[in-house]
Amino acid sequence: MDVDMGDFLPLVGVWSKPVKNEVEKGAIRKFAQAIGDGNPLYHDEEAATKSRYGRLVAPPTFSRTFDYGQIPHLVLPVAGLIHGEQSYVFHRPILAGDVLYASQGLVDVKERSGKLGRMIILVFSYKVENEAGDLVQTSTSTVIYRPEGDNRHD
Amino acid sequence: MTEGMRFAVGDRLAPLTKPPVTRTQLVMYSGASGDFNPIHTVESFAQEAGLGGVIAHGMLTMAFVGQMLTDLLGECGELETFGIRFIDMVRPDDIITCEGIVTEVEEDADGQIVACDIWAKKTPSGEKVVQGTARFRTFR
């Protein structure tokens, strides 16, 4: 697949339509189990009820599981993508039973040339809001694509 | 955690050493996260992609660092920001240790706002696999 900056530049600033995500207890427990985190706030409803959260809590990176919708016309190469950076700003905790709306946008594209050849750097933003429209979490993900490079992934 | 947890610049965060990463864990994380890229689970695919075998999801390692922070804070604090750069690949059998050090402390009426450098490294080689920063607040 031949990909260059020109494929992405027109999509900078384009966002997906927000998608409804319901935060399920089972999904929190499965995620916590997969990362090997036995924190009672993620697993034990009684402990969570007694906590200041009142309900099962999602681990910090749980929002990775959400459906953020499709950025219209964005086609990513299937191989050669490397996850370069990931960051979160937490505004409100994510709790079991929350109904949240998640969307993603392409916010920047850069091209760099280095020892390892040409790199296209894509920056995606992710937004999670609650039903009242309050911001719950924002995150940013930097993905590096090497058109001529090897296929190392994150 | 006890009430009134306090931090000072230069404090080391309590480190977290995770059990060795397993292939089963990568399958579980794929299922739980919805990231089914076969480089994490299918050995022949990862070999053909030139990776020399399956590699862990970068976000799994980030979750380990997240656990170090939430274990530290318990209910006495809350994470405000958390960001990392992925430096090196993690593979099955790797043992990951997460660490951090306090870089800035600000006091306010509710408690402290604490900034720290955080990272994860392979044990025992010490090679860093992720490096970043986090900020959290603590409650009095």
Side-chain angles (χ1 to χ4, degrees):
Chain A
M1 185 172 165
D2 199 20
V3 178
D4 65 33
M5 286 281 285
D7 296 311
F8 300 111
L9 277 173
L11 298 176
V12 173
V14 177
W15 282 72
S16 66
K17 263 202 280 197
V19 176
K20 183 176 175 178
N21 284 267
E22 297 178 58
V23 180
E24 292 165 7
K25 287 181 243 181
I28 291 177
R29 289 189 180 119
K30 277 214 171 73
F31 185 85
Q33 197 189 358
I35 66 175
D37 190 338
N39 191 329
L41 292 177
Y42 307 152
H43 297 276
D44 179 353
E45 266 195 300
E46 209 181 302
T49 307
K50 283 188 203 144
S51 77
R52 62 194 187 84
Y53 299 101
R55 284 179 273 154
L56 286 187
V57 182
T61 61
F62 177 77
S63 58
R64 188 71 175 172
T65 66
F66 291 168
D67 179 358
Y68 291 86
Q70 295 296 317
I71 297 172
H73 309 298
L74 177 73
V75 182
L76 283 177
V78 284
L81 290 174
I82 303 164
H83 195 176
E85 291 173 31
Q86 179 75 27
S87 65
Y88 293 91
V89 179
F90 304 100
H91 299 276
R92 286 177 168 73
I94 292 177
L95 306 176
D98 281 353
V99 176
L100 303 172
Y101 290 83
S103 56
Q104 60 171 329
L106 180 64
V107 293
D108 198 10
V109 183
K110 287 175 277 206
E111 190 171 311
R112 297 258 188 285
S113 282
K115 280 197 299 262
L116 299 163
R118 200 157 57 100
M119 294 191 300
I120 296 175
I121 300 162
L122 303 165
V123 184
F124 294 93
S125 262
Y126 303 85
K127 192 159 72 175
V128 179
E129 293 177 316
N130 63 19
E131 284 179 295
D134 304 315
L135 210 48
V136 172
Q137 192 180 103
T138 54
S139 54
T140 304
S141 182
T142 302
V143 176
I144 301 161
Y145 175 61
R146 291 213 198 106
E148 297 88 22
D150 63 27
N151 283 339
R152 288 184 7 149
H153 279 247
D154 64 310
Chain B
M1 276 287 153
T2 52
E3 220 178 293
M5 182 171 41
R6 306 218 17 107
F7 293 91
V9 171
D11 282 356
R12 295 258 162 194
L13 309 185
L16 171 70
T17 297
K18 296 290 288 179
V21 170
T22 65
R23 286 164 194 272
T24 304
Q25 182 169 36
L26 301 186
V27 172
M28 287 166 69
Y29 188 81
S30 295
S33 70
D35 178 352
F36 292 106
N37 190 326
I39 59 167
H40 304 303
T41 49
V42 182
E43 186 65 21
S44 58
F45 185 94
Q47 291 286 357
E48 260 169 58
L51 294 166
V54 295
I55 60 168
H57 309 70
M59 290 302 294
L60 176 63
T61 309
M62 188 170 192
F64 294 167
V65 181
Q67 183 184 352
M68 172 186 67
L69 293 165
T70 49
D71 280 355
L72 175 76
L73 294 174
E75 284 189 66
C76 298
E78 220 154 59
L79 208 47
E80 292 188 335
T81 67
F82 176 26
I84 57 152
R85 192 163 52 85
F86 298 100
I87 299 171
D88 205 355
M89 294 184 282
V90 173
R91 298 175 184 280
D93 301 326
D94 281 345
I95 296 170
I96 300 300
T97 297
C98 306
E99 295 177 334
I101 187 165
V102 174
T103 55
E104 272 176 72
V105 178
E106 208 183 297
E107 306 277 344
D108 72 6
D110 301 321
Q112 291 183 310
I113 299 166
V114 179
C116 46
D117 286 341
I118 47 175
W119 59 89
K121 61 182 193 184
K122 289 185 194 174
T123 307
S125 75
E127 289 167 275
K128 277 193 185 173
V129 291
V130 306
Q131 168 86 52
T133 58
R135 193 180 73 227
F136 55 82
R137 82 140 35 256
T138 61
F139 309 118
R140 269 185 217 289

